[in-house]
Amino acid sequence: MCGIIGITKGSGPDDGVQSVLDVLVEGLARLEYRGYDSAGLAMVGPTAADGMWRVRAANGTRSLDDLTKRTDDAPTHPSAGIGHTRWATHGRPNEDNAHPHADCTGRLALVHNGIIENHIELSDELIADGHHLESETDTEVLAHLIEAHLAAAPAEGVVGAVRSALSRVRGAFALAVVHADDPDAIVAARRVSPLIMGVNEGAAFLASDIPAILGLTHDFFILDDDRIAELRPGAISVTDLEGNPVEPEPLHVDWDLDAARKDGYDDFMSKEVHEQPKAVADTLLDRVLPDGTLVLDEVHITNEEFRSITKVFVVACGSSYHAGLMAKYAIEHWARLPVEIDIASEFRYRNPVVDEQTLIIGVSQSGETVDTFQAIREAKSLGAKVLVISNVVDSSMAREADAVLYTRAGPEIGVASTKTHLAQITALEILALYLAQARGTLSPADARGLLTAMGSLPDKVETAVSRSVDVHAVAEHYKDSPSFIFLGRHVGYPVALEGALKLKEISYLRAEGFPAGELKHGPIALVEPGTVVVGVATRTPVWEKMIANIAEVKSRGASIVLVANDGDEETARHADHVLWVPATEHLFAPIIDVVPLQLFAYSLARLHGLDVDRPRNLAKTVTVE
Ligand code: AGP
């Protein structure tokens, strides 16, 4: 959940390519969604006495601004540089703990995303050998460990020192190192945490994700686990931990720079909410043949293997977990397969019953959430088939899986998941229909009817998104309400959970989602005059029971906001305010019904003057357990 970036362009004349400093600052700005407790950068090369020059700032979302005010004494023509934006895990979010970290000589700098699990053991050893560590972080240990290995075998160079140092390290890392003694080089290494590289004729780049270096190159590469890369101007060489050369894996990227920018919207979240119709359409694209059958060419599990599956587990976190909950209804209903759904961080520690007939579905837009990544690894080690739903091509989870079904939502920068969440539900519904097709539990005629209904979803999502002004008017009535209860039944229950999560994470208001039928078993004690209850009351087989639950809370003085199907006045008369949505097949309804709840949360957060793209305490991708 930190972001790293690096560029080397050597000491040649400025050829019009952006300066090292500009690339680092722009890249850090695009990586801030991964964490912004602090920012820092280091450069090496011509002038600034040809040493390693470093600057750091720890001031929350102001960190990068503060950093750019402290570059007056920076090298004028640096050869290479690295940068870091931090989400604190070990050590307080202060300047001493900010990356880059240096070694004792002050000529080596290192940035890192991940966690070094044996950092205490290593720091004790280094301190005993005379090293002086200045921070509370796990990362600083790496800088001194590399320093020690470089001193022990200078002929091996920095890349050799990194390689031998990492043989002592347990944990996750995506790291980059510069050294004033070799100013044209950046040495990078990766285990679990994401790292992307790029190269053009005069430079080479690395970053935690693609948008950070979009526009600088068209040639991207992935650094795989336990690989070390040496980047020099115009060249990248990769070796394994034993020093054997390895061809870096090319990565096709069709995201343009604009896709990673705001396109005129006030913030990434509103841009991404408005991109939802396209995200759903693109995720459906070319997966439905003219005769209505489904073809998923990225899923390398045969129909025969699908037919041998006797149980499905879905593992995920946050909004991806809520998408997974919706998949449970769809897969059980159409494919008649039992589905268990687990919070990923719980799954691997409960000794789950998994075997070769189990299908594990890992849902993760980033494909890097370590809780989910480790859960699918655990399941794979127990013999399960692993299918991952991810939004990032060749993400860590995608490469771990037996099969991948990509969502096609494009880069999602806002911390709150919106378009990737809708794309995940769409992908999971497609998968449920595909499983039913493979297992023969759904007739081709019924499948065609459902696929026709899916084809209309993008337009219906567009309609729901277009009502943002109406939703904002409803939100204004409740801008002073301190707490909210979200209710839903059947597929409306995960929608209620997602609506509550959206409100919590961007407005910091108290919000809790419940199955509506569960209220009378305790939570109804929360209801008093003025309590705001938001109910998902679109037409499902359990609509009448949902309305009965709404009547229970209305009789206790709650203010009622209902998500209801267009024209459904019977539902509307139970509400103080209605969030109208188009109707659809009830198992597809979550894709549409969640949209007004996203907009409701967005409006309340903006009414409270909050930064919806960078909510406090959160980061877009959580790569620590
Ligand atoms: C949702 O708005 C949050 N961003 C968070 O709950 C997120 O869904 C969760 O961390 C999972 O992320 P992933 O999809 O990248 O695995």
Side-chain angles (χ1 to χ4, degrees):
M1 79 320 252
C2 298
I4 70 173
I5 183 160
I7 169 178
T8 173
K9 58 180 292 199
S11 49
D14 259 351
D15 49 8
V17 175
Q18 279 180 292
S19 74
V20 168
L21 181 60
D22 290 349
V23 167
L24 295 178
V25 170
E26 170 69 18
L28 288 179
R30 294 183 203 164
L31 287 166
E32 273 189 320
Y33 71 88
R34 299 176 65 86
Y36 32 79
D37 290 326
S38 64
L41 53 89
M43 297 191 287
V44 289
T47 75
D50 289 345
M52 182 275 285
W53 177 88
R54 177 177 62 159
V55 64
R56 300 177 290 175
N59 186 14
T61 53
R62 306 290 309 157
S63 299
L64 188 54
D65 291 346
D66 292 359
L67 199 70
T68 51
K69 296 184 180 98
R70 303 179 189 173
T71 58
D72 293 349
D73 61 345
T76 49
H77 289 82
S79 306
I82 52 178
H84 185 273
T85 186
R86 183 171 182 241
W87 190 56
T89 51
H90 289 73
R92 289 159 294 172
N94 61 24
E95 207 162 304
D96 287 345
N97 292 330
H99 304 210
H101 288 286
D103 68 349
C104 297
T105 71
R107 294 181 68 77
L108 176 150
L110 175 142
V111 292
H112 165 236
N113 174 26
I115 282 192
I116 306 304
E117 292 177 1
N118 60 329
H119 68 94
I120 292 172
E121 163 203 333
L122 292 170
S123 60
D124 290 349
E125 196 179 294
L126 288 159
I127 290 166
D129 286 348
H131 286 264
H132 173 61
L133 278 69
E134 296 171 342
S135 77
E136 304 160 335
T137 68
D138 56 327
T139 297
E140 189 185 1
V141 162
L142 292 173
H144 294 274
L145 195 59
I146 294 165
E147 174 196 2
H149 284 264
L150 185 57
E156 297 292 317
V158 177
V159 68
V162 169
R163 181 177 300 117
S164 52
L166 290 180
S167 64
R168 301 287 319 282
V169 167
R170 287 199 316 274
F173 50 80
L175 63 88
V177 180
V178 290
H179 199 296
D181 295 349
D182 187 0
D184 285 4
I186 302 178
V187 178
R190 182 265 167 111
R191 182 182 296 158
V192 176
S193 300
L195 196 59
I196 299 290
M197 304 181 292
V199 66
N200 65 25
E201 65 288 345
F205 315 89
L206 62 89
S208 296
D209 72 7
I210 296 161
I213 53 176
L214 261 180
L216 297 170
T217 176
H218 293 288
D219 297 321
F220 291 88
F221 299 91
I222 293 163
L223 189 59
D224 270 328
D225 275 359
D226 289 333
R227 295 285 187 268
I228 295 170
E230 189 172 38
L231 289 78
R232 293 185 179 275
I236 296 174
S237 57
V238 176
T239 57
D240 61 19
L241 287 182
E242 289 67 45
N244 306 310
V246 174
E247 266 309 301
E249 192 177 332
L251 175 64
H252 172 68
V253 175
D254 56 8
W255 291 347
D256 59 28
L257 200 49
D258 292 343
R261 289 183 174 158
K262 299 178 187 174
D263 288 348
Y265 287 94
D266 291 343
D267 40 56
F268 282 116
M269 183 174 174
S270 57
K271 169 178 174 284
E272 288 150 6
V273 163
H274 285 80
E275 288 176 337
Q276 294 188 121
K278 185 175 185 304
V280 172
D282 288 352
T283 301
L284 283 169
L285 196 63
D286 74 29
R287 283 169 170 163
V288 182
L289 295 181
D291 68 357
T293 52
L294 280 158
V295 177
L296 305 181
D297 47 13
E298 313 98 320
V299 178
H300 306 300
I301 300 178
T302 65
N303 283 355
E304 187 182 345
E305 287 170 321
F306 274 127
R307 279 190 286 274
S308 70
I309 298 294
T310 56
K311 181 162 83 169
V312 176
F313 275 102
V314 178
V315 293
C317 305
S319 291
S320 300
Y321 171 75
H322 300 151
L325 271 175
M326 295 168 196
K328 176 181 172 63
Y329 293 96
I331 293 172
E332 290 189 341
H333 183 80
W334 288 322
R336 306 309 300 152
L337 266 173
V339 178
E340 284 196 46
I341 170 99
D342 266 274
I343 292 281
S345 53
E346 290 297 313
F347 174 78
R348 55 194 285 239
Y349 299 110
R350 69 176 183 80
N351 195 16
V353 179
V354 173
D355 61 24
E356 289 72 17
Q357 274 70 49
T358 305
L359 174 66
I360 296 288
I361 303 174
V363 186
S364 173
Q365 75 84 15
S366 63
E368 303 298 343
T369 298
V370 76
D371 288 328
T372 312
F373 187 23
Q374 299 296 12
I376 64 170
R377 275 186 154 172
E378 168 84 4
K380 194 168 184 179
S381 69
L382 297 172
K385 286 271 179 294
V386 175
L387 188 152
V388 159
I389 310 275
S390 178
N391 193 52
V392 179
V393 173
D394 292 321
S395 56
S396 299
M397 277 185 239
R399 292 204 303 283
E400 184 74 19
D402 297 304
V404 186
L405 179 50
Y406 286 117
T407 52
R408 299 168 182 154
E412 184 173 75
I413 310 301
V415 167
S417 298
T418 50
K419 63 176 182 174
T420 57
H421 178 65
L422 258 62
Q424 286 171 341
I425 306 170
T426 304
L428 287 160
E429 307 262 20
I430 292 170
L431 179 63
L433 287 172
Y434 184 82
L435 284 169
Q437 174 183 299
R439 297 168 53 82
T441 53
L442 191 68
S443 73
D446 289 345
R448 271 195 296 278
L450 290 163
L451 291 166
T452 303
M454 287 196 95
S456 66
L457 287 174
D459 287 345
K460 292 182 175 180
V461 170
E462 180 67 54
T463 302
V465 168
S466 70
R467 294 171 176 169
S468 56
V469 172
D470 302 336
V471 175
H472 186 80
V474 173
E476 282 186 312
H477 283 280
Y478 300 103
K479 71 178 185 310
D480 299 323
S481 301
S483 71
F484 296 75
I485 290 175
F486 287 74
L487 300 179
R489 291 187 80 121
H490 198 269
V491 289
Y493 165 44
V495 175
L497 293 179
E498 178 63 10
L501 175 61
K502 285 284 118 10
L503 190 58
K504 271 183 276 207
E505 64 177 326
I506 63 174
S507 71
Y508 317 149
L509 293 170
R510 295 276 178 274
E512 205 166 347
F514 297 103
E518 184 62 12
L519 215 64
K520 53 191 172 299
H521 300 289
I524 201 165
L526 290 171
V527 178
E528 57 190 350
T531 301
V532 182
V533 172
V534 182
V536 182
T538 48
R539 294 294 177 146
T540 69
V542 291
W543 171 83
E544 282 178 359
K545 296 197 180 305
M546 181 65 196
I547 294 300
N549 296 142
I550 292 299
E552 288 160 12
V553 292
K554 193 172 179 69
S555 64
R556 289 166 173 79
S559 302
I560 305 294
V561 179
L562 291 182
V563 178
N565 288 137
D566 290 347
D568 184 353
E569 293 307 329
E570 188 181 359
T571 298
R573 64 187 172 83
H574 296 276
D576 297 299
H577 293 97
V578 178
L579 305 175
W580 296 106
V581 291
T584 186
E585 153 65 36
H586 78 274
L587 285 174
F588 297 150
I591 294 171
I592 298 167
D593 295 359
V594 77
V595 172
L597 301 187
Q598 296 168 339
L599 295 169
F600 186 71
Y602 177 81
S603 290
L604 282 171
R606 292 298 302 268
L607 287 166
H608 286 259
L610 297 170
D611 179 348
V612 295
D613 282 343
R614 299 183 300 185
R616 69 185 183 198
N617 306 340
L618 294 178
K620 181 64 182 173
T621 306
V622 183
T623 52
V624 286
E625 283 197 80

